[in-house]
Amino acid sequence: MSTVDAVLAAGRREAKARMRDTVRLYEQAPDVFDRTSGTTVPGAQTTLYEGPARVKPVAQASGEDTQAGEREVRLLEYEVSLPWDTPLPAGARVLPGMRIEVTGSQDTRMVGLVLWVTGAQYGDQATAWRITTEDRS
């Protein structure tokens, strides 16, 4: 094992040790309008990953005010770190529009938070797999 490989292995162990949150990464099919009941039925969810993660805000003052429907929302940025060697189902890639739900955290106020994926970073010399997201609430 080279020095670089040894340093990366140590860094990945330490990054994983800091992953104290649990999340579910999923893809959601489009909603469907049910004409009989007059309601919108959420599309089916396909889970790609469930397990440890580190969820952290990118910057305290970050965010952008925007209109969603008839209400104003603030888009806050978060970075979600997953273990570097996280497996995905064959042929699956993390794409913008997928979602990450915080299912467990030491900060119980984060549980239930749903984040929208805006991008994913890949690299063989990273210590964790980092996914950029935004809170659209």
Side-chain angles (χ1 to χ4, degrees):
M1 179 183 290
S2 72
T3 304
V4 171
D5 291 334
V7 170
L8 282 172
R12 289 172 181 157
R13 277 191 307 275
E14 291 302 315
K16 196 170 190 175
R18 296 184 70 196
M19 295 180 189
R20 297 166 44 134
D21 304 314
T22 54
V23 299
R24 181 173 69 98
L25 168 64
Y26 64 95
E27 182 175 32
Q28 183 157 350
D31 295 344
V32 178
F33 182 72
D34 181 349
R35 293 186 186 280
T36 306
S37 67
T39 60
T40 301
V41 179
Q45 295 180 355
T46 304
T47 299
L48 302 174
Y49 170 78
E50 282 186 278
R54 180 175 182 225
V55 180
K56 69 174 188 168
V58 170
Q60 187 73 11
S62 72
E64 171 187 337
D65 292 327
T66 189
Q67 287 290 121
E70 294 185 15
R71 70 182 194 130
E72 184 121 344
V73 295
R74 182 149 182 94
L75 304 178
L76 298 172
E77 295 179 65
Y78 284 82
E79 180 181 84
V80 178
S81 298
L82 304 181
W84 182 81
D85 56 354
T86 297
L88 291 178
R93 285 184 64 89
V94 174
L95 300 171
M98 291 182 173
R99 300 175 198 168
I100 295 177
E101 178 185 6
V102 179
T103 57
S105 178
Q106 299 277 330
D107 182 351
T108 56
R109 296 167 294 188
M110 288 182 56
V111 175
L113 178 66
V114 176
L115 303 168
W116 293 67
V117 172
T118 58
Q121 301 170 9
Y122 303 96
D124 71 326
Q125 293 189 24
T127 56
W129 182 20
R130 292 175 179 85
I131 301 172
T132 55
T133 65
E134 62 189 15
D135 173 9
R136 295 183 177 177
S137 59

